[in-house]
């Protein structure tokens, strides 16, 4: 699915009402022939965006479990910090890919960079 893109490289991926507090939304997107899934979640009113794939075994992170600002992948129990993307458990160097977000009106814009 294609999405509006601005000059700064942000894509309009969803509306605020589509991302309830503490839940996740998977957004398939495509640009220039490259397709990926982005996951969105809202924690304490802040929108987080990340590549919807666990760096361990490629499970979709959007079906995981959120506890506070920790996201647990249901595949093998890896945990990630939503503020930093860093793996918490196990302590490894494979981190999740976070994306910059901004809100304009009711629209969620995400800078999906790098797009791969």
């Amino acid at each position: 699915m294609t999405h509006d893109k601005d000059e700064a490289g942000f894509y309009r991926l969803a509306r605020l009402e589509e991302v309830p507090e503490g839940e996740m939304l998977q957004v398939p997107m495509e640009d220039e022939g490259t397709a990926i899934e982005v996951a969105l979640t809202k924690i304490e009113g802040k929108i987080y965006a990340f590549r919807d794939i666990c760096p361990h075994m490629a499970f979709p992170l959007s079906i995981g479990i959120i506890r506070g600002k920790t996201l647990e992948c249901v595949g093998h129990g890896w945990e990630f910090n939503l503020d930093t993307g860093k793996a918490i458990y196990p302590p490894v160097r494979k981190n999740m890919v976070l994306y910059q977000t901004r809100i304009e009106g009711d629209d969620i814009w995400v800078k999906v960079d790098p797009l791969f």
Side-chain angles (χ1 to χ4, degrees):
M1 171 184 248
T2 58
H3 297 274
D4 293 338
K5 181 180 180 182
D6 70 10
E7 305 80 35
F10 282 80
Y11 297 82
R12 184 171 44 192
L13 294 188
R15 302 203 32 94
L16 282 171
E17 64 265 12
E18 295 178 280
V19 186
E21 181 76 25
E23 295 184 25
M24 289 183 273
L25 173 69
Q26 182 188 71
V27 182
M29 63 165 293
E30 181 180 341
D31 188 28
E32 299 178 16
T34 301
I36 66 168
E37 285 77 35
V38 174
L40 302 171
T41 190
K42 186 188 317 176
I43 307 297
E44 298 174 3
K46 180 180 177 183
I47 295 291
Y48 293 87
F50 48 92
R51 183 138 188 236
D52 193 15
I53 188 167
C54 180
H56 174 224
M57 293 289 287
F59 278 81
L61 290 171
S62 62
I63 62 171
I65 301 164
I66 295 177
R67 291 183 194 90
K69 292 188 179 180
T70 299
L71 171 59
E72 179 183 342
C73 176
V74 296
H76 290 100
W78 279 36
E79 295 179 350
F80 302 91
N81 180 300
L82 284 170
D83 282 324
T84 65
K86 294 190 179 213
I88 299 168
Y89 178 82
V92 295
R93 293 188 181 124
K94 293 183 177 182
N95 301 318
M96 64 189 288
V97 177
L98 294 177
Y99 299 123
Q100 184 180 356
T101 63
R102 77 168 190 251
I103 307 301
E104 286 185 8
D106 290 328
D107 294 324
I108 300 170
W109 290 78
V110 179
K111 188 167 189 175
V112 183
D113 183 32
L115 180 64
F116 58 86

